Amino acid sequence: MKKLVALILAASMAMGMVACGGNTTPTESGSPNTQNTSAESKNEETKGEQQVLEFYHGYYHAESEWPAAKVMRDIYDEFAKQHADGPVAFKPIPVEKRDEIVSAKVAGGSFPDIVDMGIALPQSAISQKLILDLKPYIDANNLKDAVGLNYTQNNIDGAIYTVHDQIETRGLWVNTEVLKTAGVSVEDLSTWKGFVDSMAKVTEKKNGNYGYASGQGSLKMLYAYLGSTEDGRKLLSSEISADVINSETFANAFKTIARMDQVNGSEYATPDVGNLMADFNQNGKVAVLSNGVWNASGIDEKFAEAIQPIIFPENVSMATAGTGLTVAANMSKEKTDLALEFIKYMTSEEVQTKIFLGVQANPCNTTLDLNALAEQSGDPIVKKLALACSLCNKAQTVVSDVSYKWGADVGNAITNALMECANANTNIDARFEQLQKELTALIG
């Protein structure tokens, strides 16, 4: 029986936005200019003049750097064109530091009109009532299936403050040729013992290949490891607490992954798996990548046969709605209506199909037949993506990324500790005790 460990994430993620967020203009460095004169606010709402709904998103990358970013910008631009002559103009604004913009605005008691957030959002946004509850609109327009996992994971006391148009879905990608060279098969990775032993064999060959990108990748593996046992799943369903931090279950999971990291080597430890993705996707020197199903779009054609999707050992995968489109409360009716229409647009079958085929991510809309779309495309990489999504969605145990529940600071502390443990001279037991103190201090 499939065990969905549904971690209600939005409590630590959802932030709000208010109309006085109005015209937040990012500087060249991406930092916000949060000064909004009363004259500006008044002029925007002047009767008869076209209002502007500003939308901050993180798809600022050049097409050559990340083709998916161009696909998303085109989707946003199409919505803007559709409403160019209406009472409210839709203005998508790509920025690198949108999370900093949000934090600065919320600290001042305001928020931009609408933001596609990438990290957990401050609780203060909810407590200040800066965010619009999207659930009444979702229910009234029968969008439950369209928003998918957002409907349950992002439900906070009956309210839904954020909808992500893509589901952060993680299994693993493996290079079967690297495994074969080390005398390892894909089947060997189906248990944690087999996985740990296999990564050691890859490293022992000393042929320039290595097991995986540790650090951020190790954090995801640690969560998956916890998801593979009943006691671990209980931790993942709990708030972070002294009981969790001091539990034998957490200690065992951390030390198992840390020992594996140490064998893997400190050279391959990074706080961002993206820093080493080329080693897997383009250079073919890594056995395993934990970058999620969307990584299909980054695989070089010459490795299309060798690289295959699997899920975590013990039949575990991760699926997380996470933060996403969040709308300001207390905007004008016209701006609020357009913001809600944008939510409907982004979760529609038409746009979700573009996200699957063009962005090559797992869409939130559960009505799509991903395998049929992949077959119609004829693209072997899209077929890999559909297979990866199917494997993750049908895993025996599906957990969500608990960093969204426990907080980014907790996740970062664990990641840093794991990165230090990748150094051969680090005493893992001592470093774990230090981590326990750090986490205890973080939760107060």
Side-chain angles (χ1 to χ4, degrees):
M1 180 182 294
K2 180 175 178 180
K3 306 169 186 174
L4 174 59
V5 181
L7 305 181
I8 307 301
L9 310 174
S12 62
M13 302 185 290
M15 290 178 67
M17 312 173 184
V18 300
C20 59
N23 298 322
T24 301
T25 304
T27 64
E28 290 183 357
S29 65
S31 299
N33 175 356
T34 58
Q35 294 182 350
N36 227 18
T37 66
S38 58
E40 288 174 335
S41 299
K42 183 177 180 180
N43 287 340
E44 183 187 58
E45 304 297 338
T46 299
K47 186 175 181 180
E49 293 185 9
Q50 189 179 48
Q51 300 174 49
V52 177
L53 181 71
E54 293 186 334
F55 168 52
Y56 286 95
H57 65 85
Y59 295 101
Y60 58 87
H61 314 74
E63 184 175 8
S64 58
E65 179 185 358
W66 189 24
K70 174 64 162 52
V71 175
M72 291 301 293
R73 290 197 299 271
D74 287 346
I75 290 173
Y76 300 150
D77 289 344
E78 176 59 31
F79 186 79
K81 290 177 183 177
Q82 292 175 9
H83 299 276
D85 299 325
V88 180
F90 182 76
K91 183 179 180 181
I93 305 172
V95 288
E96 182 176 0
K97 299 180 179 180
R98 67 195 189 281
D99 299 319
E100 293 182 13
I101 292 173
V102 168
S103 295
K105 294 293 288 184
V106 170
S110 64
F111 205 86
D113 300 334
I114 182 169
V115 175
D116 182 24
M117 285 300 300
I119 62 171
L121 304 174
Q123 269 296 95
S124 60
I126 296 177
S127 62
Q128 293 181 76
K129 299 183 179 180
L130 304 179
I131 310 173
L132 183 68
D133 177 9
L134 304 175
K135 190 174 184 297
Y137 179 81
I138 291 170
D139 289 341
N141 289 272
N142 298 314
L143 299 179
K144 181 178 180 180
D145 291 337
V147 303
L149 197 60
N150 291 281
Y151 198 83
T152 53
Q153 282 195 355
N154 288 350
N155 189 308
I156 302 281
D157 297 328
I160 298 174
Y161 297 110
T162 185
V163 169
H164 196 190
D165 49 54
Q166 302 164 32
I167 300 301
E168 182 179 319
T169 308
R170 292 181 183 271
L172 297 170
W173 293 94
V174 297
N175 187 318
T176 57
E177 289 301 319
V178 172
L179 293 179
K180 183 178 179 181
T181 299
V184 174
S185 69
V186 171
E187 290 72 23
D188 292 329
L189 308 183
S190 62
T191 67
W192 277 108
K193 183 181 185 308
F195 189 90
V196 170
D197 291 344
S198 297
M199 294 303 98
K201 290 179 181 179
V202 172
T203 302
E204 289 167 0
K205 295 297 291 185
K206 299 186 184 302
N207 58 359
N209 295 338
Y210 61 96
Y212 58 96
S214 59
Q216 183 190 49
S218 304
L219 178 69
K220 309 308 178 185
M221 291 181 187
L222 186 149
Y223 294 156
Y225 187 93
L226 288 172
S228 65
T229 67
E230 183 176 353
D231 287 343
R233 290 190 288 272
K234 288 179 180 178
L235 292 192
L236 293 176
S237 64
S238 305
E239 298 290 343
I240 187 69
S241 65
D243 288 342
V244 170
I245 295 167
N246 297 315
S247 69
E248 186 61 33
T249 300
F250 181 59
N252 178 58
F254 178 89
K255 292 177 183 180
T256 297
I257 302 301
R259 286 191 292 268
M260 186 171 66
D261 286 352
Q262 199 162 74
V263 173
N264 194 60
S266 59
E267 182 180 355
Y268 311 115
T270 174
D272 183 352
V273 171
N275 295 331
L276 293 173
M277 277 192 344
D279 277 357
F280 184 85
N281 288 329
Q282 280 81 49
N283 303 330
K285 58 184 294 186
V286 188
V288 174
L289 184 73
S290 62
N291 195 47
V293 300
W294 54 82
N295 185 69
S297 62
I299 299 171
D300 192 290
E301 289 184 4
K302 64 178 177 286
F303 297 119
E305 290 299 319
I307 293 177
Q308 302 293 335
I310 63 171
I311 52 178
F312 291 101
E314 313 295 348
N315 212 338
V316 173
S317 70
M318 299 178 70
T320 312
T323 48
L325 303 171
T326 312
V327 177
N330 304 318
M331 292 191 295
S332 69
K333 181 181 185 303
E334 293 81 6
K335 289 176 65 171
T336 300
D337 287 346
L338 187 62
L340 292 171
E341 187 174 342
F342 181 61
I343 301 291
K344 185 176 182 180
Y345 168 81
M346 289 302 298
T347 58
S348 67
E349 289 189 12
E350 178 183 359
V351 170
Q352 289 282 290
T353 298
K354 291 179 180 179
I355 287 175
F356 176 68
L357 296 176
V359 180
Q360 297 193 350
N362 194 10
C364 69
N365 191 311
T366 60
T367 67
L368 299 183
D369 186 337
L370 302 186
N371 289 319
L373 290 173
E375 287 298 325
Q376 291 170 16
S377 76
D379 187 331
I381 296 299
V382 175
K383 291 180 181 179
K384 283 187 185 292
L385 171 64
L387 176 58
C389 291
S390 177
L391 288 172
C392 289
N393 293 341
K394 295 177 181 179
Q396 180 179 342
T397 299
V398 182
V399 299
S400 54
D401 188 338
V402 79
S403 288
Y404 289 99
K405 183 182 181 69
W406 288 354
D409 52 352
V410 170
N412 290 337
I414 298 172
T415 298
N416 291 336
L418 287 168
M419 288 178 63
E420 290 182 30
C421 287
N423 190 306
N425 296 321
T426 300
N427 182 307
I428 292 175
D429 289 336
R431 185 60 184 90
F432 179 70
E433 290 179 6
Q434 181 184 336
L435 173 63
Q436 288 177 305
K437 294 176 182 177
E438 293 171 1
L439 296 180
T440 300
L442 282 175
I443 66 173

